[in-house]
Amino acid sequence: MPRLKNSHISIYVLSISANVSRLTKVSSRSLATIVEDKVKQNNWENFSFLNYKKNVETLSIVRERLKRPFTFAEKILYGHLDNPHEQDIERGVSYLKLRPDRVACQDATAQMAILQFMSAGMPQVATPTTVHCDHLIEAQIGGEKDLARAIDINNEVYNFLATACAKYNIGFWRPGSGIIHQIVLENYAFPGSLMIGTDSHTPNAGGLGMLAIGVGGADAVDVMAGLPWELKAPKIIGVKLTGKLSGWTAPKDIILKVAGILTVKGGTGAIVEYFGEGVDSLSCTGMATICNMGAEIGATTSTFPYNARMADYLNATKRGFVADNANLFADHLKADEGAEYDQLIEIDLNTLEPHVNGPFTPDLATPISKMKEVAVENGWPTDVKVALIGSCTNSSYEDMSRAASIAQDALNHGMKAKSLFTVTPGSEQIRATIARDGQLKVFEEFGGLLLANACGPCIGQWDRRDVQKGEKNTIVSSYNRNFTGRNDSNPATHAFVTSPDLVTAFAIAGDLRFNPLTDTLKDKDGNEFMLAEPTGAGLPLLGYDPGSDTYQAPPEDRSVVAVAVAPTSDRLQVLQPFKPWDGSDAHNLPILIKSKGKTTTDHISQAGPWLKYRGHLENISNNYMIGAINAENDKANTVKNAFTGEYAGVPDTARYYRDHNQKWVVVGGDNFGEGSSREHAALEPRFLGGFAIIAKSFARIHETNLKKQGMLPLTFADPAAYDKINPEDTVDIVGLTSLIPGKNLKLVVHPKDGETWETELAHTYNNEQIEWFKAGSALNKMAAANK
């Protein structure tokens, strides 16, 4: 039985049951005798192969050193160590040097990642890499027209990505192919592998038993260049699932429940590992949903042990050769008996209720049985204006089939959606398959609008016109994230996330107070009826229809390819290196802004209309911190210039400081930079002359991104100092000339009125990261090494 590493940590017990795996297994001893032929990772690349034998051999070195059982996540991590003989290994303390199997980039972050890779001066990527066009397509009037419009508007960016991918041996998935995470699951994910991706929901691939971790573009560049990737050894949170889902309860409800337990920062610095007999009742795509939304609890990633449902999915997606090889190593692809977890949560799937999380945060979890009471009590708008299903979190064949069964039930009773209802297929393969099998027709008869195979409203790419900005309203989606203004740029929109099943039920009732488990509706004749429980197959009986061909493979002769970047472009800009540290402490730095409350990457560097500038650092820097609330005046994008005394926008004030050779700092609260992996939130302050971000705590990805760009992410050793410091104070950061791991720096605060005071600043730098700071950025250090 798995054990708690620290017995004092609370266990949430919700039940227990039993299960039997039907996978082929081989003993650890016989693994050593297997001669592993070159088995391809996927159907698209002839140069990437499975490495199970090597991973087991690497892990055996660590086993000999540590002499203890490992969790599944640890097996993957330690099996990918760059130097297993000498690597220091302590959860939550050590920095691991790892060798990921793959890199995946979405089009918004790929622009800057590739621009940085070009600066490194290498002829091709050293690690298999793909780029996926999904973020730049705005939902407006419908899938086909929206896609055509996006291709026209973003043609320059798509040409850049297509030519750069061809030049540097990168697989390119064209616009219309689908959302990165669904494409990865369908084509590239495989059990026991380690992948990094430039999107915070990269963990989606954990549904196929891999560790898939969201990173900033600079981390991706390191791996693309063949360098080891560094990760602070995560703690491991175990989630034991017992029983079996039934009725209206869906896989989404598991992560909604976990989010309510752990909150948006409870998973920070940890991998969430699911196990238990309840796992085998979940489909592979259901497990992916759970891992996907693990990003909302701050987790490094989430994963499930390899099982028969994953093998079924691999076979259904024409990767039976991967399943066959994984079956040989099945004992390696699960936790050891007696493995220890740092925290343990137990959830009984038999008694788990459907949940609705929100508004404004994905960890405000409400069981459906209490939703009516809580909504009324809090004064939330109960009229559901828009119901949206799909996205990278919930757009599988199973999701679409279950939602279609509910819509068909309504149609059978003469009813259609009361709310506006949108459908976002996760991939061209899903769209083509539900078109063939009839679910799409049901949605259209139900009143649904088919959106493009892209992120769309989930990331704010939504030209919403049914309400005015500032108008209080409610939307319900099967998405993963619901921060203020995220979906439609309207801070008054109350966004709730739930399963596609409940989204569809809310669309029929048009009311947030509706509970399909207990409440009745009236059919076209006025007769009361209850919606039937949703049904739907996990995999299509006729197999998947691949739909249109949307993949571009790199050409055999890449030497003739020229990367398209116009010098006059307002969308793309070749990067210039940042200046190295000047070797001295920093004095009399103004506070650009002291942000109040939640400061996510959406507050720091908004998406939506700004996505088009993701390849142009100068232009996108015009959105720096414009969504953050200034603690001085409770206003967004209005800060006082310390020298002129005038109020202006945050980017304008930062530029003034930079152009007058004045470094500056930002002060923030807890979990600063939570949300998307967007490295622009770190590039922009560096470009605008920033020196340090001082916060109560940081989200993992954002902290790393800041370090990579030469910014100082520092935390108050005494969190109370956040409340004491004022926006008009100036500060000194002392101790930089002797910066070493584990040694605090000193912050000297000079109030506008009052006596100078001091407090300590903590940091998480290791020796290599300190070299990034001194060089001006990690990229500067890499480029110098390649000269």
Side-chain angles (χ1 to χ4, degrees), residues 472-727:
K472 193 175 178 181
N473 74 101
T474 282
I475 64 173
V476 182
S477 79
S478 67
Y479 302 164
N480 44 38
R481 194 165 280 165
N482 60 343
F483 298 134
T484 302
R486 168 147 179 114
N487 302 122
D488 60 1
S489 298
N490 181 3
T493 293
H494 290 56
F496 296 85
V497 291
T498 186
S499 68
D501 307 346
L502 283 190
V503 172
T504 308
F506 283 133
I508 296 166
D511 195 319
L512 192 63
R513 296 167 293 184
F514 178 66
N515 179 356
L517 284 75
T518 58
D519 297 348
T520 60
L521 297 165
K522 288 187 177 180
D523 67 15
K524 60 181 174 52
D525 299 319
N527 299 314
E528 290 192 347
F529 75 100
M530 290 184 68
L531 289 171
E533 293 178 348
T535 59
L539 296 169
L541 293 176
L542 301 178
Y544 285 105
D545 182 338
S548 302
D549 181 10
T550 55
Y551 177 69
Q552 172 191 293
E556 289 189 16
D557 183 6
R558 294 178 289 104
S559 63
V560 297
V561 179
V563 180
V565 182
T568 57
S569 172
D570 71 343
R571 299 286 302 273
L572 299 163
Q573 181 184 48
V574 176
L575 295 176
Q576 300 300 318
F578 293 129
K579 292 180 180 179
W581 174 52
D582 62 12
S584 62
D585 289 338
H587 296 279
N588 296 313
L589 308 185
I591 296 170
L592 176 66
I593 181 173
K594 178 183 176 182
S595 68
K596 179 181 178 181
K598 191 184 286 283
T599 308
T600 71
T601 48
D602 283 323
H603 296 97
I604 299 168
S605 177
Q606 292 181 359
W610 291 95
L611 282 171
K612 65 182 180 180
Y613 296 124
R614 284 284 179 88
H616 199 291
L617 183 53
E618 184 172 353
N619 285 344
I620 200 169
S621 293
N622 288 320
N623 80 354
Y624 181 61
M625 291 289 280
I626 63 175
I629 301 302
N630 184 2
E632 179 194 3
N633 53 22
D634 287 334
K635 294 181 180 179
N637 201 28
T638 305
V639 296
K640 181 186 284 188
N641 187 309
F643 298 97
T644 68
E646 296 177 356
Y647 283 89
V650 179
D652 299 323
T653 306
R655 273 198 173 86
Y656 179 95
Y657 293 157
R658 181 196 65 189
D659 294 345
H660 288 78
N661 297 314
Q662 176 62 62
K663 300 170 186 173
W664 49 263
V665 302
V666 164
V667 173
D670 281 314
N671 212 25
F672 190 93
E674 69 175 285
S676 298
S677 66
R678 145 179 349 155
E679 70 172 327
H680 297 78
L683 277 162
E684 291 173 31
R686 185 74 168 96
F687 178 76
L688 292 172
F691 188 71
I693 310 294
I694 306 169
K696 288 185 178 181
S697 64
F698 285 97
R700 175 189 61 85
I701 297 176
H702 186 58
E703 181 180 30
T704 301
N705 286 346
L706 289 167
K707 291 178 181 178
K708 288 272 185 178
Q709 302 307 335
M711 290 286 292
L712 283 169
L714 306 171
T715 55
F716 293 108
D718 176 8
Y722 168 85
D723 298 310
K724 188 175 179 182
I725 199 167
N726 293 308

Side-chain angles (χ1 to χ4, degrees), residues 321-455:
F321 53 90
V322 174
D324 291 343
N325 209 247
N327 289 345
L328 296 175
F329 291 84
D331 274 344
H332 175 64
L333 301 174
K334 65 178 183 179
D336 292 334
E337 187 71 24
E340 293 184 344
Y341 295 93
D342 296 282
Q343 183 175 349
L344 184 62
I345 298 169
E346 298 189 23
I347 297 178
D348 176 11
L349 304 185
N350 291 326
T351 59
L352 180 65
E353 274 193 74
H355 278 63
V356 182
N357 286 26
F360 307 124
T361 184
D363 59 354
L364 182 57
T366 306
I368 188 64
S369 62
K370 297 181 180 178
M371 191 62 195
K372 178 179 179 179
E373 174 189 346
V374 173
V376 172
E377 188 178 283
N378 285 280
W380 298 335
T382 55
D383 181 18
V384 177
K385 293 289 187 182
V386 190
L388 310 96
I389 67 168
S391 86
C392 65
T393 319
N394 278 111
S395 59
S396 67
Y397 185 82
E398 179 180 44
D399 291 327
M400 294 298 177
S401 297
R402 285 172 63 94
S405 76
I406 300 166
Q408 184 63 62
D409 189 24
L411 289 169
N412 293 343
H413 287 86
M415 300 181 70
K416 293 187 176 184
K418 279 188 180 179
S419 310
L420 294 175
F421 184 71
T422 70
V423 179
T424 302
S427 68
E428 169 60 10
Q429 179 167 276
I430 291 295
R431 185 211 60 78
T433 305
I434 64 173
R436 180 198 67 194
D437 291 354
Q439 294 95 333
L440 186 53
K441 183 180 179 183
V442 171
F443 290 140
E444 289 171 342
E445 291 177 356
F446 182 62
L449 174 67
L450 178 69
L451 300 180
N453 312 325
C455 301

Side-chain angles (χ1 to χ4, degrees), residues 82 99 117 122 124-127 220-228:
D82 182 52
R99 291 285 181 178
F117 180 79
M122 298 184 66
Q124 69 174 60
V125 293
T127 304
V221 172
D222 282 354
V223 178
M224 290 160 68
L227 298 177

Side-chain angles (χ1 to χ4, degrees), residues 32-52:
T33 67
I34 292 175
V35 178
E36 191 178 33
D37 293 326
K38 283 194 170 184
V39 179
K40 293 195 302 179
Q41 286 185 14
N42 56 71
N43 290 304
W44 301 104
E45 299 164 346
N46 60 10
F47 53 82
S48 61
F49 304 97
L50 302 179
N51 289 312
Y52 289 134

Side-chain angles (χ1 to χ4, degrees), residues 127-254:
T127 304
T129 301
T130 54
V131 168
H132 306 262
C133 295
D134 61 359
H135 270 57
L136 303 180
I137 302 166
E138 184 183 51
Q140 192 178 67
I141 55 178
E144 288 188 11
K145 292 182 178 179
D146 291 345
L147 177 60
R149 178 170 171 264
I151 291 173
D152 179 54
I153 292 172
N154 302 305
N155 188 56
E156 178 186 9
V157 171
Y158 292 146
N159 281 341
F160 163 69
L161 293 174
T163 55
C165 287
K167 181 71 172 178
Y168 296 111
N169 202 32
I170 298 170
F172 181 63
W173 290 83
R174 295 190 290 268
S177 60
I179 304 172
I180 176 173
H181 312 304
Q182 185 69 25
I183 296 296
V184 166
L185 195 72
E186 293 173 355
N187 296 275
Y188 298 106
F190 63 93
S193 63
L194 176 65
M195 182 184 78
I196 62 170
T198 60
D199 189 277
S200 57
H201 293 106
T202 298
N204 186 80
L208 248 177
M210 73 187 301
L211 288 188
I213 301 175
V215 299
D219 274 356
V221 172
D222 282 354
V223 178
M224 290 160 68
L227 298 177
W229 173 59
E230 188 176 74
L231 175 71
K232 191 172 186 179
K235 293 188 175 182
I236 313 293
I237 298 173
V239 179
K240 183 177 182 180
L241 303 180
T242 61
K244 186 177 181 180
L245 294 177
S246 62
W248 283 89
T249 309
K252 182 70 162 282
D253 296 305
I254 296 173

